[in-house]
Amino acid sequence: MQEITGYSSTTLPSNEFTPPTGKLFGGWNTKADGTGIKYDAEENFFLYGDTTLYAQWVDPVASVETGEVTTEYGTVVDAVKAANEANGSTITLKRNSATSALSITGNNITLDLNGCTLEIDSDSSSTYLLTVNSSASLTIKDSGTNGGIYYKIKQQSSYTASQAICNYGFLTIKGGTIKNTGGTSNSYAIATPSSSSSDAKLTISGGTISSDSAYAIYDGSSYGSTITVSGGTITSKAKDAVSLSKGSITVTQGEISSTDGSAIKGGISNISGGTISSANTYAIANSNVTLSSNPQITGKNADIQLTIPNTYNDANHKIAGELTMSTTLRITDGQSSTSWLSDGKTIFNADNNYTIKQDDVDKLKLVDSKGNDYKYMSSYRTYTYTLQLDSSKNAITLKETTS
């Protein structure tokens, strides 16, 4: 037993005791039997009075493999600290664990969930479980089954933004479940916050990323993160599955879906495969869209909502190659307020009776089932719209003619 006395903030010491045979140091606790408040070594601790903290002896919770050397640790915090000091290390979980916040600062680090779960400690006040710092790189995989990273915390304010993973660097998801069950409208599974000062990258080839009450993936960075999806599942029950400000997402395979929100909203979307769906609204909304190959896109109101800044400016929505897009598409004017197009008014709402077809090298036309141009009738004149394709940019521009 080691005693620290005082009325100030202090950094808790590392273990200097000899552990029992077969056991490892598992942090400090305010009760000898481990039922009190848990603290990690080197964690900041404020002393309100004389306090006794007891060393906890536990079975190994994780191992770190660096080269040919494998070392076991009693806390995930200690395992991550060791991995950060040796680039190229692999952290393997050995049992389910609750931990204080983790920070990845090293490069080429792999976290193997190994069928185990990692959760935020119930005593923690941290708004994230794991952070990948700028220039750091982490790959998450699951060599077992049902491994996962879960953020859930007690007494969280409804306004508090929280993340299972906060990504400022290079994050790759190959397996496992990443889920935020915080229960607020700001409970994200993976997020790049507005405070990010670099172009974060997220690569997903497997696993499941989900949130029951908020975005599964949220990019709020002014720099814009880059997301690549070639497999796995991304899903949200309450909001958009993927919400982008200035970021981009490229989808070649995988499944992205939302129950109440859009599958993808905002940013730049490059879609050539996969399944993208929304049960209650547009599958893709307010995103600069490039479509190619044959992705499966389905939404309740319309498959894709393209918002044209105004009727005379380029929209930057893209159709690649010889794609003919059919069924549901909606184009709205999101800015006009002085013309007959009121804010958010539908310019056209194409369902099974209207399709967008490549008329020739440079034009995409809105046509009905008989091949006639789509027209909007006002009380003054008839407006005919053609989507003009700029071959050099593959950009769609809405062109208006009247009669």
Side-chain angles (χ1 to χ4, degrees):
M1 182 177 69
Q2 182 174 348
E3 294 184 354
I4 303 172
T5 303
Y7 285 92
S8 61
S9 179
T10 187
T11 300
L12 295 178
S14 299
N15 173 55
E16 296 179 358
F17 301 119
T18 301
T21 302
K23 297 293 184 179
L24 296 170
F25 176 68
W28 303 101
N29 200 285
T30 56
K31 293 186 178 181
D33 62 1
T35 59
I37 300 174
K38 177 184 174 183
Y39 297 96
D40 289 307
E42 300 184 10
E43 184 175 344
N44 193 50
F45 177 68
F46 191 86
L47 296 173
Y48 292 97
D50 290 350
T51 304
T52 300
L53 297 179
Y54 300 88
Q56 300 297 296
W57 309 115
V58 298
D59 294 326
V61 69
S63 64
V64 175
E65 180 181 354
T66 304
E68 298 181 355
V69 178
T70 299
T71 306
E72 293 183 328
Y73 293 89
T75 69
V76 182
V77 170
D78 287 341
V80 168
K81 180 182 177 182
N84 284 332
E85 294 173 352
N87 293 334
S89 296
T90 296
I91 305 167
T92 302
L93 297 184
K94 303 179 76 67
R95 58 184 173 87
N96 298 343
S97 177
T99 180
S100 56
L102 305 171
S103 180
I104 301 295
T105 58
N107 290 316
N108 300 321
I109 294 175
T110 297
L111 172 60
D112 184 359
L113 298 173
N114 191 31
C116 302
T117 59
L118 189 62
E119 298 181 0
I120 192 72
D121 193 280
S122 60
D123 294 323
S124 175
S125 60
S126 174
T127 57
Y128 59 87
L129 193 157
L130 187 152
T131 294
V132 181
N133 287 275
S134 178
S135 299
S137 56
L138 173 69
T139 297
I140 298 174
K141 67 177 186 177
D142 184 16
S143 62
T145 56
N146 301 321
I149 295 176
Y150 298 90
Y151 181 97
K152 50 185 177 182
I153 196 167
K154 299 176 182 178
Q155 298 177 344
Q156 188 181 84
S157 166
S158 59
Y159 300 101
T160 300
S162 64
Q163 304 92 35
I165 300 178
C166 184
N167 181 38
Y168 295 96
F170 303 89
L171 174 62
T172 299
I173 308 295
K174 293 185 175 181
T177 297
I178 314 297
K179 187 171 185 178
N180 192 325
T181 58
T184 77
S185 59
N186 296 309
S187 300
Y188 316 129
I190 300 177
T192 300
S194 58
S195 57
S196 176
S197 58
S198 61
D199 178 12
K201 290 180 170 57
L202 171 61
T203 303
I204 302 166
S205 60
T208 299
I209 301 167
S210 68
S211 175
D212 290 342
S213 57
Y215 310 121
I217 297 176
Y218 173 68
D219 166 43
S221 169
S222 59
Y223 288 84
S225 60
T226 302
I227 303 171
T228 303
V229 181
S230 61
T233 300
I234 304 169
T235 182
S236 173
K237 291 183 178 179
K239 285 190 174 183
D240 309 315
V242 178
S243 177
L244 305 171
S245 58
K246 295 184 178 180
S248 67
I249 182 169
T250 298
V251 183
T252 57
Q253 288 295 332
E255 179 180 348
I256 305 175
S257 65
S258 176
T259 302
D260 284 341
S262 294
I264 301 172
K265 188 171 184 178
I268 300 171
S269 299
N270 302 295
I271 314 296
S272 62
T275 301
I276 300 170
S277 63
S278 170
N280 200 44
T281 184
Y282 313 103
I284 302 176
N286 297 335
S287 181
N288 288 338
V289 183
T290 297
L291 298 174
S292 60
S293 300
N294 189 31
Q296 303 299 308
I297 304 174
T298 56
K300 180 180 178 181
N301 294 343
D303 293 344
I304 301 177
Q305 180 193 40
L306 304 181
T307 299
I308 306 299
N310 59 58
T311 57
Y312 301 103
N313 291 340
D314 288 349
N316 290 329
H317 303 299
K318 301 176 182 179
I319 302 290
E322 297 293 325
L323 177 73
T324 296
M325 182 176 170
S326 61
T327 68
T328 54
L329 176 72
R330 184 174 188 251
I331 290 185
T332 63
D333 175 15
Q335 292 187 2
S336 293
S337 58
T338 57
S339 69
W340 59 271
L341 283 173
S342 60
D343 184 32
K345 183 177 179 63
T346 299
I347 296 175
F348 73 88
N349 196 358
D351 53 24
N352 290 322
N353 296 321
Y354 290 97
T355 60
I356 292 183
K357 291 187 176 180
Q358 186 157 329
D359 188 40
D360 54 36
V361 175
D362 294 322
K363 293 182 180 179
L364 295 172
K365 296 183 67 176
L366 290 173
V367 297
D368 61 19
S369 58
K370 296 181 179 180
N372 298 317
D373 290 344
Y374 178 80
K375 296 182 179 181
Y376 179 87
M377 300 292 294
S378 75
S379 57
Y380 302 101
R381 63 190 71 182
T382 299
Y383 293 84
T384 300
Y385 294 95
T386 301
L387 297 179
Q388 189 77 29
L389 179 62
D390 184 335
S391 298
S392 63
K393 300 178 181 178
N394 282 333
I396 295 175
T397 303
L398 191 66
K399 298 298 183 180
E400 175 187 87
T401 58
T402 61
S403 59

